[in-house]
Amino acid sequence: MSGNNLDSNAIFIRGSASSNGMTSLLIGAVVALLGAVIITALPKLFFLVGILFLSGSIIAFVMGFSKLREPKYSLEITREAIVYHHRKGKWRIDWENIQRVDVPRVHKGLEHIDLEMVGFKLRDPERFLNNISLRLITHLLTEQRPLVTQIAMSDCSSGQCYGDDIINDVKYKCVDGGMITGVSAMFANRMRRLQKGIGYDIYLSVNDLDRDGMAFVTLLRECQESLTISQNNRPPIET
């Protein structure tokens, strides 16, 4: 990662989930070799042990190749925007569209639990829809299901009921009266539900970061402060 000053260079963040791809492949190769040795050189009594080793090696290979398919950097922070890169596509949030950024919290009984995420509250959520790929929308709709379910359960005193809004509407009415349909509409409704339930529109897993959530929030606030000094008309991020 480069320095925290955006005046000259972009900041590139490499997520922990995309690292160690070669390490996973190497571990898979070693485990596969051990499995093959167990099956061929040891008595049949150890045959199932060898099979378990081979199964473990397959998992390590899959994890390794999956990590290597990820973009080199998960985030690119520039003077204009924050850009998220994923093998399914990318999204972009312009600095001027960020109203607040923080670690989201949910209710669990009488406690507040910090999520392993960073949340972005947007000034114009509909503007974001023009800056995200459809393939990534489909991926996020699936990835965020546990988050929506968690919101529904936290709102239910019994912990057993679910809201109708878990099922996403395929139509979305924009502020200007226009209509959005399809997966974009489903994601727009999901954003609205998450904003209402937790307070943020867009969520970024800490697995896509190289530090914990609060440290990344601090980084973004420092970047915004640096940009505000050079561009006094830029609206500040709420704290």
Side-chain angles (χ1 to χ4, degrees), residues 68-225:
L68 291 178
R69 288 177 58 198
E70 294 289 343
K72 184 177 180 180
Y73 299 105
S74 58
L75 284 168
E76 177 183 358
I77 306 174
T78 70
R79 292 176 57 85
E80 292 76 29
I82 302 170
V83 183
Y84 171 65
H85 298 275
H86 190 275
R87 69 177 184 273
K88 298 290 186 180
K90 65 181 181 179
W91 56 244
R92 171 190 171 112
I93 303 178
D94 296 327
W95 282 105
E96 60 205 35
N97 196 23
I98 300 177
Q99 179 175 340
R100 184 185 179 193
V101 57
D102 210 336
V103 174
R105 311 181 81 188
V106 295
H107 294 283
K108 188 174 182 181
L110 299 177
E111 297 181 316
H112 287 82
I113 306 298
D114 288 343
L115 298 179
E116 293 295 308
M117 294 180 173
V118 171
F120 296 85
K121 183 178 180 180
L122 306 181
R123 291 186 168 88
D124 184 2
E126 294 173 7
R127 176 180 173 184
F128 176 82
L129 297 175
N130 296 321
N131 294 307
I132 181 171
S133 62
L134 292 178
R135 290 183 66 219
L136 183 55
I137 284 179
T138 303
H139 171 77
L140 292 178
L141 284 172
T142 301
E143 186 180 70
Q144 292 177 349
R145 282 176 182 170
L147 183 59
V148 180
T149 302
Q150 187 173 14
I151 295 173
M153 293 183 66
S154 66
D155 290 339
C156 181
S157 58
S158 67
Q160 300 295 324
C161 52
Y162 299 86
D164 293 335
D165 42 23
I166 290 180
I167 302 175
N168 297 280
D169 195 345
V170 294
K171 292 183 180 180
Y172 177 87
K173 186 175 182 180
C174 300
V175 175
D176 62 5
M179 294 294 297
I180 300 176
T181 59
V183 293
S184 294
M186 294 173 65
F187 190 72
N189 284 301
R190 170 71 61 80
M191 289 171 60
R192 179 179 289 172
R193 172 65 180 109
L194 293 176
Q195 202 282 330
K196 180 181 178 182
I198 304 181
Y200 302 90
D201 302 280
I202 303 301
Y203 296 81
L204 189 63
S205 172
V206 294
N207 291 327
D208 293 312
L209 308 176
D210 59 356
R211 63 197 72 194
D212 63 52
M214 279 309 306
F216 183 70
V217 169
T218 300
L219 170 64
L220 293 185
R221 289 174 179 171
E222 291 175 351
C223 291
Q224 174 67 5
E225 182 179 356

